[in-house]
Amino acid sequence: MAIVIHIMGIFVWSIQLLTGLLLGLSMVGLKVRQSLKKLILLSLLFGLIYSVAPIFYPSDYIPILLFIALFAILVQMMKVPVTQVLIALLLALIFNLLIISLLEYNIFYLLLDMANVSLDIGTKMSIDFFAMLTNIFMSMIIVSRSPVIFPKSLFEKPMSADDSEISFNSQVYSVILILSLLVVGLYFTSLELQHIRLHYRWFLTIWSLAVTVAIILFQHKIILFKNEKVQLFLDQQYQKELLSFFSIIRSQRHDFNFHLTAINGLIQKKEYDACKTYIEEMVKSATVINDLLPLHHPATAAMLSTFKEKAAAKGITIEFMILNDLRNCPCSVYEINKVIGNLLQNAVDEVEQHPNHKQPIVVEMNTQRNQLLITVTNEINIMGDKLDNLFQVGFSTKIHHEGLGLPIVKKIVEKYQGIVYPELDGGFISFHISIPELSTTKWG
């Protein structure tokens, strides 16, 4: 009988841990369905260790050691920031302390005390069995619904100084501090419950639930408010780029009547060669806009137009070959502008350093086997043995550069399971990007 109770205890504790992990990981924006099998095995392993370890190593520090070990394993397994895993584990602890200890078990014990019923082995097993079933039911709901309170964007670190406005660092540390205090309070509350008067135990149980829910929802509201500020910041960035783009269009429209008058005058004077030259210059100017019109989002077109205009002022030509309008790009507009903008800036800086370079910078966007392909090609003076260092933070072939552009590109591309790599070919370097496309993309 003792063995049966012990085995059942292992399963009960494992299922409670699994439910807490599923809830915590889901609430920080992770897809638990993809890692469900690993989490089940991990919960069973730690349930076994938690039950067996006191036999060989009786110590009050076992839960703390298990928490640290579980934290390290989840960081490696989930491949996400440590703060994201830490908040997930804190939420899992709060679930186990609040929902399981203070609500499920504590309420059962309160009802038994009120009915003056003693807690025997049969009753204890019945309570454990009921708790196990309710946790399995909750796990099924969590896997199917995937509730999120703290989105993944909360844990993304700023990729450059320009991103400091959209960083959530202060909010993340605030959440960790508050959740840690909640865990400590709930832990000591659960330890002292048996020594507290019956009526006060009811009050303390309900009060703990209300306070915990209120604090977590309040933190959620703060995150939503910060997210709205981030969206406002991004909108302002887009508007600056759009104004630049539209100013070019307005300028062309304003000059159109003057161009028609000039062409008409040249035709009236029968100066056909001059008229031909004049029209060719008009077409060359209009090509700047026409090349970028296929792009799905005007903010990207605005950025590329600005780059081309600034490069032309330095005597540098940029050519665009747009065979994919980026409609199904998984990145946000802000991110794709970061990627292409950094590659273009590097290309312009390199060509500017060597004025003898006559070939244009070529930007190509294409599709191949549901992969978005972006290539930026320019002339360069670099040895092949330096290619391995290009994506290291701080590495740069230019003076007074921080070497952050390419690491930023690599981080964004890999975030969407893409790859980026350089290719040297006869004095030219091409940076190739391949990102899996989405069937439907919501730009933001």
Side-chain angles (χ1 to χ4, degrees):
M1 187 66 179
I3 296 176
V4 174
I5 296 173
H6 196 69
I7 293 174
M8 185 174 179
I10 294 173
F11 278 103
V12 169
W13 200 89
S14 299
I15 291 172
Q16 291 174 2
L17 175 61
L18 175 64
T19 308
L21 287 177
L22 290 175
L23 183 64
L25 293 170
S26 177
M27 283 189 169
V28 296
L30 297 177
K31 301 296 183 181
V32 293
R33 188 191 298 267
Q34 300 171 357
S35 306
L36 184 58
K37 291 182 179 179
K38 292 181 180 179
L39 291 173
I40 291 174
L41 293 175
L42 191 64
S43 300
L44 287 171
L45 174 63
F46 273 78
L48 179 63
I49 295 173
Y50 182 75
S51 301
V52 174
I55 299 174
F56 301 97
Y57 181 70
S59 173
D60 295 334
Y61 296 105
I62 288 178
I64 298 175
L65 295 174
L66 289 178
F67 179 87
I68 295 172
L70 184 59
F71 172 74
I73 292 173
L74 285 174
V75 169
Q76 294 297 319
M77 187 176 79
M78 306 303 294
K79 305 295 184 183
V80 294
V82 293
T83 52
Q84 194 169 4
V85 174
L86 181 56
I87 290 179
L89 280 179
L90 290 173
L91 289 170
L93 283 174
I94 289 173
F95 169 80
N96 278 273
L97 291 169
L98 181 67
I99 304 299
I100 297 175
S101 296
L102 287 178
L103 285 185
E104 288 186 347
Y105 281 97
N106 183 44
I107 287 177
F108 270 117
Y109 296 154
L110 283 171
L111 293 175
L112 290 175
D113 287 343
M114 292 175 64
N116 293 320
V117 177
S118 61
L119 183 64
D120 55 19
I121 295 176
T123 306
K124 178 68 168 59
M125 289 183 66
S126 298
I127 295 173
D128 286 341
F129 187 72
F130 176 82
M132 186 169 61
L133 290 178
T134 55
N135 276 273
I136 291 174
F137 180 69
M138 283 189 283
S139 296
M140 293 171 63
I141 294 176
I142 293 167
V143 171
S144 62
R145 298 286 183 177
S146 297
V148 177
I149 290 183
F150 305 112
K152 289 176 65 176
S153 57
L154 175 67
F155 307 98
E156 294 177 357
K157 295 181 180 179
M159 291 171 289
S160 67
D162 295 338
D163 292 339
S164 59
E165 290 289 336
I166 62 173
S167 171
F168 288 90
N169 282 342
S170 59
Q171 279 72 25
V172 169
Y173 299 135
S174 173
V175 169
I176 291 174
L177 176 61
I178 291 173
L179 292 183
S180 299
L181 293 174
L182 277 175
V183 167
V184 173
L186 291 172
Y187 176 71
F188 283 103
T189 299
S190 63
L191 287 181
E192 298 298 324
L193 275 179
Q194 295 181 354
H195 308 292
I196 298 175
R197 287 183 296 114
L198 185 63
H199 291 85
Y200 188 63
R201 282 175 65 182
W202 279 106
F203 164 76
L204 201 56
T205 300
I206 298 172
W207 181 83
S208 298
L209 175 64
V211 169
T212 303
V213 171
I215 290 176
I216 292 177
L217 290 179
F218 179 70
Q219 288 292 312
H220 177 60
K221 292 293 184 182
I222 292 177
I223 298 301
L224 290 180
F225 176 73
K226 171 69 176 181
N227 192 56
E228 290 177 359
K229 291 181 63 178
V230 166
Q231 294 302 319
L232 179 61
F233 170 78
L234 294 178
D235 288 342
Q236 291 173 346
Q237 298 299 311
Y238 300 155
Q239 287 171 15
K240 290 179 182 178
E241 294 172 340
L242 288 173
L243 286 174
S244 173
F245 191 51
F246 291 145
S247 66
I248 297 173
I249 297 175
R250 283 197 299 267
S251 176
Q252 286 192 344
R253 181 180 178 184
H254 180 265
D255 295 341
F256 186 68
N257 290 333
F258 297 108
H259 293 317
L260 288 178
T261 302
I263 291 171
N264 182 60
L266 291 172
I267 292 175
Q268 292 294 332
K269 293 179 181 181
K270 298 183 179 181
E271 296 181 6
Y272 300 119
D273 291 337
C275 182
K276 180 182 177 182
T277 303
Y278 191 88
I279 292 174
E280 288 175 350
E281 289 297 321
M282 283 183 60
V283 171
K284 187 184 298 184
S285 176
T287 300
V288 175
I289 301 299
N290 294 336
D291 285 346
L292 300 174
L293 284 178
L295 288 170
H296 179 66
H297 203 289
T300 303
M303 181 203 66
L304 296 180
S305 174
T306 302
F307 260 106
K308 181 158 187 168
E309 187 178 351
K310 290 181 178 179
K314 299 176 181 179
I316 301 171
T317 303
I318 300 178
E319 295 182 357
F320 300 104
M321 298 175 60
I322 300 174
L323 303 177
N324 183 314
D325 64 3
L326 305 181
R327 183 183 305 272
N328 296 325
C329 178
C331 310
S332 67
V333 180
Y334 184 76
E335 289 172 323
I336 200 64
N337 280 7
K338 278 275 187 182
V339 169
I340 302 175
N342 274 297
L343 293 181
L344 261 179
Q345 187 63 60
N346 286 347
V348 170
D349 290 343
E350 177 63 31
V351 173
E352 189 179 11
Q353 277 190 330
H354 306 283
N356 293 329
H357 292 175
K358 301 298 182 182
Q359 296 299 319
I361 299 169
V362 179
V363 180
E364 183 179 357
M365 303 176 196
N366 208 337
T367 306
Q368 186 176 2
R369 296 178 181 177
N370 296 323
Q371 295 282 321
L372 165 63
L373 305 179
I374 301 174
T375 304
V376 177
T377 304
N378 61 275
E379 288 186 278
I380 195 170
N381 291 329
I382 188 174
M383 301 299 292
D385 57 355
K386 293 184 178 180
L387 292 182
D388 294 337
N389 301 321
L390 287 177
F391 294 98
Q392 293 181 6
V393 176
F395 177 82
S396 178
T397 60
K398 298 175 282 293
I399 302 173
H400 304 307
H401 278 67
E402 297 179 349
L404 296 176
L406 290 177
I408 289 172
V409 171
K410 186 172 185 288
K411 181 174 181 179
I412 295 175
V413 171
E414 290 182 348
K415 175 182 174 182
Y416 297 96
Q417 290 75 51
I419 58 172
V420 54
Y421 61 92
E423 178 186 14
L424 277 178
D425 183 16
F428 289 84
I429 187 169
S430 298
F431 282 94
H432 300 278
I433 292 173
S434 177
I435 306 176
E437 284 193 313
L438 297 179
S439 57
T440 303
T441 300
K442 187 176 182 178
W443 291 78

